[in-house]
Amino acid sequence: MAGRAEASRKNDPERTKEDILVVATEEFSTHGLAGARVDAIAERTRTSKRMIYYYFGGKEGLYLSVLERAYRKIRTLEEDLKLASLAPEEALRTLISSTFDHDEANPDFVRLVSIENIHHAAHMLRSEAIRDLNVSVIETIAGILERGIAEGVFKRKADPIDVHMLISAFCFFRVSNRYTFGTIFRRDLSEPHTIGRHRTMIADAVVSYLKEADGNALVRS
């Protein structure tokens, strides 16, 4: 039986790799790079450590592939929004809501990014894929901001990376600090009404910032 299962996996390597990445995402996000065990991933995917090393080159190679897959997922979601067809403010609010909902639904992503920050992004530095993937969101935001300025919707000429950081900071913090923040202030950040209020709050904050003229560089509508 084990031989037939391994033969079946060899006949569909992409599915096998995806199965491994799904389980590895949970393993790394739960235990970190140092604590994660390739043996545990192999057992849960009913494959072998040898096969995992064959596909990913080792534990760090698997970890990097998990990171790349996580970023590819969120960037693909953004591409599917078709933001260029929406009015600037609607496009920005849609992007913010998508980021907010993604982080809320994918705490594994937040934990993985936190873990990689502990390692000073040492593994990301080796990945051209992650750099290339994240260019797209900056280009998307830049396009929305440019259209907003041209149409007189936005007054402030903001740096798209700053805007991305503003959005990401709020959405990320809610998940990364959910338990410590909730414990200190006795507030359940997973409560539906709180989620809805926060989703609206970050969108309103970003849009309001962009609609206010920069005192150092006024933009006429």
Side-chain angles (χ1 to χ4, degrees):
M1 288 288 292
R4 286 200 299 271
E6 186 152 341
S8 175
R9 290 178 180 275
K10 286 180 179 178
N11 291 333
D12 193 355
E14 293 307 314
R15 179 179 175 183
T16 301
K17 286 191 281 188
E18 180 64 17
D19 290 345
I20 292 169
L21 287 170
V22 169
V23 173
T25 296
E26 184 177 340
E27 180 74 10
F28 284 120
S29 67
T30 301
H31 302 290
L33 176 57
R37 295 176 55 245
V38 177
D39 287 334
I41 297 168
E43 182 178 353
R44 288 183 58 194
T45 54
R46 296 184 180 181
T47 184
S48 65
K49 188 173 181 178
R50 177 183 61 81
M51 183 174 287
I52 291 174
Y53 275 54
Y54 172 77
Y55 282 133
F56 300 100
K59 184 179 180 180
E60 290 201 0
L62 176 58
Y63 169 74
L64 184 55
S65 293
V66 164
L67 283 173
E68 290 173 346
R69 177 180 177 273
Y71 275 100
R72 188 173 294 107
K73 179 179 179 181
I74 188 171
R75 300 289 88 93
T76 299
L77 286 173
E78 290 161 356
E79 289 176 8
D80 291 343
L81 296 174
K82 309 298 182 186
L83 298 175
S85 64
L86 303 178
E89 181 174 338
E90 183 184 0
L92 189 59
R93 287 183 179 275
T94 300
L95 177 63
I96 293 168
S97 292
S98 176
T99 303
F100 186 100
D101 291 343
H102 169 272
D103 288 1
E104 186 69 27
N106 293 276
D108 284 353
F109 172 77
V110 173
R111 288 195 293 267
L112 285 169
V113 174
S114 298
I115 289 165
E116 184 60 7
N117 272 288
I118 291 172
H119 294 282
H120 302 282
H123 305 90
M124 282 188 182
L125 286 171
R126 305 203 313 265
S127 175
E128 290 186 12
I130 289 178
R131 287 194 295 272
D132 292 344
L133 281 167
N134 286 286
V135 166
S136 65
V137 67
I138 303 306
E139 291 177 342
T140 296
I141 293 173
I144 294 171
L145 299 181
E146 288 169 7
R147 289 195 291 121
I149 290 290
E151 295 176 22
V153 177
F154 301 145
K155 306 297 182 183
R156 185 187 299 267
K157 286 186 175 178
D159 182 331
I161 295 179
D162 286 350
V163 174
H164 176 58
M165 184 171 67
L166 177 60
I167 297 166
S168 297
F170 186 90
C171 297
F172 192 94
F173 180 91
R174 287 191 76 266
V175 181
S176 67
N177 290 47
R178 173 173 295 165
Y179 298 108
T180 53
F181 194 87
T183 298
I184 292 168
F185 296 106
R186 302 294 190 270
R187 178 161 294 181
D188 182 4
L189 298 185
S190 65
E191 193 273 324
H193 181 72
T194 302
I195 290 173
R197 184 174 72 254
H198 285 179
R199 185 190 291 108
T200 300
M201 185 169 71
I202 180 58
D204 286 348
V206 174
V207 169
S208 295
Y209 172 75
L210 294 172
K211 286 187 173 183
E212 180 182 343
D214 185 345
N216 296 321
L218 293 175
V219 178
R220 294 180 179 178
S221 60

